[in-house]
Amino acid sequence: DFFLENAGIFKFRPNRDLIPFFTRRIGLSRGRLVPILGGVRLTGKVGQYTLGFFTMQTQELEETPSTNFSVTRIRRDILVRSEVGGIFINKQENDGDFNRTYGLDANLKFGFLDIASFVLKTDSPGIEGHDKAASIGVAYRDRFWEVQGEHLFIEKDFNPEVGFAPRRGIRKSMGRFGIRPRPGERMPGVREFGPSVAIDYITNEENTLETRIVDSRFAVLFQDISYFVFSHKAIFERLDEPFFIRSNQSIPIGDYEFNEFSAFFASDPSRMFGGSASVSWGGFFDGDKNSYSLGFLLQPGYQFRADLTWSHDDISLPSGDFTTQLVNTRLSYSFTPSAFLNSLIQYNSTRREISTNIRFNFIYKPLSDLFLVYNERRSTTGEVRERALIAKVTYVLDF
């Protein structure tokens, strides 16, 4: 709850290519858990200002020094539904090493027109220059038209150590155009159609093309909220180093062009019985890939819900063929409005293991909870790889 409550205040111009503040970076080092000594969070709204302050101290663990993580976020409402803001993120280790990220963002709304932009810079010892990122995007959406464009650049030495930037040293241009016509009484079972086309065009800082994806799709939304989507993706990828898709198998350096087709259908999610199905086929770098998935939903009442999903990938490459399967089962039951039981059971053919998570939650007073959690990882041969039973109690003091 410490990380999740009012987390939206600390969000900074959401972008799938860059997240400057990512709380899962705290308490982890080289894949290991680092003990947390304590933290403080202060959030609120004062007039037209939304304020957020967050600080947390982790304990020293072997070669990882004790570290302080602090974030300050300020946003100010302007015009009718617009805002401008700033963020400062500081990671300070006790041995003197540090990493800082700071920037400004603006989200402006004028009727159906949205304009959003941000600029960020990082500061790390030994890195000078080429440490900025920025974006500007424009979108127009009404009941019929959907037009969107964005340009983003992330320099090669941009280093948000308390954030997430999977791809650096890039310039990305994105565009999308779609319409949503409604046939009305001419087709009483259809609420709207959704043809669209989108393009992602990514180059390096020397403007050499690295990735290009042209996504054309046709969607149908039915009156009962079920929907169908057919799509075609034309993909170009340039690999400057081998791409490992498995521990012992990689795709060589080179340029790759391939096409992918897919179809997806999902039924009305409010019914007692529901489900989904998808199929995709086409190229995959220098080979082929066929994928299938099925989903089933059972919810006989408000107390019980069960979801079962199965996905299968069949991949054929010059370096060898392989298949993967993933099965997920989610079960939830509400004993009362204050007592819940949830479980997730997953089978992964690649890891050859079955993972189980069972959680019981009892709200014994408003905003105060008791959690009992059981986690287990077991190989398909029955060997237990990990097992844990966890209890957690929260108590809110109201004064």
Side-chain angles (χ1 to χ4, degrees):
D1 291 341
F2 185 87
F3 291 102
L4 298 179
E5 189 178 0
N6 294 331
I9 291 177
F10 297 94
K11 286 185 177 179
F12 183 91
R13 180 65 175 93
N15 188 296
R16 63 182 180 179
D17 300 290
L18 171 59
I19 303 174
F21 177 52
F22 192 52
T23 57
R24 292 190 181 184
R25 291 281 198 172
I26 301 174
L28 290 173
S29 179
R30 299 176 178 89
R32 296 181 305 165
L33 294 176
V34 178
I36 294 175
L37 296 175
V40 175
R41 186 195 65 233
L42 175 66
T43 59
K45 191 171 180 65
V46 181
Q48 294 180 310
Y49 290 90
T50 301
L51 307 174
F53 173 75
F54 173 103
T55 184
M56 182 161 283
Q57 188 75 31
T58 61
Q59 185 176 317
E60 180 180 357
L61 179 67
E62 297 178 359
E63 70 276 11
T64 302
S66 180
T67 305
N68 178 263
F69 299 85
S70 298
V71 184
T72 302
R73 178 75 164 118
I74 301 175
R75 298 205 308 259
R76 187 185 192 281
D77 299 333
I78 61 173
L79 303 175
V80 180
R81 296 183 298 120
S82 303
E83 62 183 24
V84 295
I87 194 168
F88 176 73
I89 305 163
N90 184 52
K91 175 186 175 184
Q92 186 74 46
E93 298 180 356
N94 276 8
D95 62 3
D97 199 8
F98 66 88
N99 175 262
R100 296 172 184 137
T101 303
Y102 44 90
L104 302 171
D105 66 336
N107 298 280
L108 310 177
K109 299 181 183 295
F110 306 95
F112 297 112
L113 180 67
D114 295 347
I115 302 174
S117 64
F118 72 79
V119 59
L120 286 164
K121 186 181 185 305
T122 59
D123 185 10
S124 304
I127 298 178
E128 296 290 340
H130 302 287
D131 54 3
K132 293 179 285 296
S135 169
I136 183 167
V138 180
Y140 179 88
R141 300 182 184 91
D142 61 18
R143 293 186 60 182
F144 185 81
W145 299 99
E146 183 177 1
V147 183
Q148 184 179 1
E150 182 181 3
H151 182 72
L152 163 76
F153 75 83
I154 303 175
E155 294 184 330
K156 63 180 181 180
D157 292 328
F158 183 74
N159 182 36
E161 293 185 9
V162 196
F164 188 65
R167 199 166 180 174
R168 291 176 284 186
I170 64 166
R171 297 174 180 175
K172 177 179 178 179
S173 298
M174 185 276 287
R176 175 181 171 83
F177 174 79
I179 57 175
R180 297 184 294 175
R182 298 194 170 194
E185 296 181 355
R186 291 172 295 175
M187 301 181 70
V190 176
R191 177 172 298 187
E192 71 179 31
F193 295 105
S196 65
V197 60
I199 181 170
D200 286 353
Y201 192 90
I202 302 174
T203 71
N204 60 20
E205 293 183 292
E206 288 73 42
N207 293 320
T208 301
L209 178 63
E210 292 188 345
T211 299
R212 182 186 62 237
I213 303 175
V214 181
D215 184 356
S216 306
R217 57 182 57 201
F218 183 81
V220 182
L221 177 64
F222 300 97
Q223 293 290 1
D224 63 356
I225 313 300
S226 62
Y227 64 97
F228 170 80
V229 181
F230 177 81
S231 70
H232 165 247
K233 290 183 179 180
I235 303 171
F236 170 86
E237 290 284 1
R238 170 172 287 124
L239 299 182
D240 296 326
E241 56 186 49
F243 170 43
F244 282 87
I245 56 175
R246 298 203 300 173
S247 59
N248 60 347
Q249 191 172 4
S250 65
I251 297 173
I253 295 172
D255 294 349
Y256 300 90
E257 287 193 72
F258 51 98
N259 294 277
E260 178 186 295
F261 300 86
S262 66
F264 176 82
F265 174 78
S267 67
D268 180 0
S270 65
R271 299 292 181 91
M272 179 185 296
F273 297 100
S276 63
S278 70
V279 58
S280 66
W281 66 96
F284 184 73
F285 292 92
D286 53 351
D288 298 291
K289 183 176 77 167
N290 296 313
S291 300
Y292 316 91
S293 72
L294 290 172
F296 301 95
L297 168 65
L298 171 64
Q299 45 186 1
Y302 70 91
Q303 287 184 289
F304 178 72
R305 178 187 174 102
D307 294 274
L308 174 65
T309 59
W310 166 80
S311 60
H312 174 88
D313 291 322
D314 189 354
I315 300 174
S316 177
L317 296 169
S319 57
D321 303 342
F322 65 94
T323 62
T324 66
Q325 293 194 71
L326 188 67
V327 180
N328 279 317
T329 302
R330 293 181 181 270
L331 304 172
S332 61
Y333 187 81
S334 300
F335 298 97
T336 68
S338 58
F340 319 93
L341 183 67
N342 298 280
S343 68
L344 169 63
I345 303 172
Q346 182 182 87
Y347 164 71
N348 188 317
S349 66
T350 302
R351 294 184 176 181
R352 297 181 180 178
E353 70 177 22
I354 299 172
S355 302
T356 303
N357 170 263
I358 302 174
R359 184 183 69 174
F360 174 75
N361 178 202
F362 174 57
I363 306 173
Y364 60 91
K365 62 168 289 188
L367 302 179
S368 299
D369 298 83
L370 166 66
F371 295 96
L372 295 175
V373 182
Y374 176 74
N375 291 325
E376 180 185 276
R377 290 195 306 117
R378 182 186 295 266
S379 70
T380 53
T381 60
E383 175 191 359
V384 176
R385 295 176 175 172
E386 184 180 37
R387 179 182 286 165
L389 180 63
I390 304 166
K392 175 183 175 181
V393 178
T394 65
Y395 186 87
V396 172
L397 299 175
D398 188 6
F399 55 88

